[in-house]
Amino acid sequence: MARIAGVNIPTAKRVLIALTYITGIGPAKAEEICEAIGIDRARRVNELSDAEVLKVREYIDANLTVEGDLRRETQMNIKRHMDLGSYRGLRHRRNLPVRGQRTSTNARTRKGPAKAIAGKKK
């Protein structure tokens, strides 16, 4: 099993698909990585040599922010908004939708299970 950026990527899958198992790498970035290193996208991970896996690992380390660093950066951005007291920060603090969605009927994922209100029935 190949280990890239602290993630065990599946060996039976194609390189393009397997790279998307790393947080911060989607289909477009995976394509870009294969293009830069010169790996055929149809090849499977178990067909790659150790040198090619090392090239992929080095390319990702040098050019992309992935996994723990990316998560940390995202959390720091959210914390910055909360500390500033911006509208987005207040929405994060109150556990409400941040991007302008309606909350009167939807947003159950963000708000949690519905709470019963006494005397509401009529």
Side-chain angles (χ1 to χ4, degrees):
M1 195 170 251
R3 188 165 177 83
I4 298 173
V7 177
N8 292 331
I9 59 173
T11 53
K13 294 189 185 277
R14 292 187 301 125
V15 176
L16 202 64
I17 306 301
L19 284 175
T20 62
Y21 278 64
I22 301 169
T23 303
I25 297 178
K29 283 288 182 198
E31 183 111 18
E32 181 185 306
I33 292 166
C34 290
E35 193 80 23
I37 296 168
I39 296 173
D40 183 30
R41 291 178 285 290
R43 287 177 66 190
R44 308 243 171 215
V45 175
N46 54 12
E47 297 171 359
L48 295 178
S49 66
D50 290 338
E52 288 172 323
V53 172
L54 186 65
K55 279 184 187 176
V56 171
R57 194 176 297 133
E58 287 173 350
Y59 182 86
I60 289 172
D61 287 343
N63 300 315
L64 301 172
T65 306
V66 292
E67 282 300 320
D69 294 337
L70 183 64
R71 287 195 187 99
R72 193 174 310 106
E73 190 177 314
T74 306
Q75 287 302 316
M76 291 302 292
N77 289 340
I78 291 170
K79 188 177 181 319
R80 179 174 50 84
H81 278 291
M82 288 166 65
D83 292 344
L84 283 172
S86 67
Y87 181 77
R88 277 174 64 183
L90 294 176
R91 301 300 280 182
H92 274 294
R93 200 176 301 153
R94 293 181 185 156
N95 249 4
L96 290 168
V98 177
R99 297 185 179 175
Q101 298 92 328
R102 63 165 44 223
T103 56
S104 62
T105 55
N106 297 330
R108 284 277 52 114
T109 302
R110 188 77 177 165
K111 289 164 68 174
K115 300 165 197 78
I117 299 171
K120 178 83 177 186
K121 195 175 181 183
K122 255 193 181 176

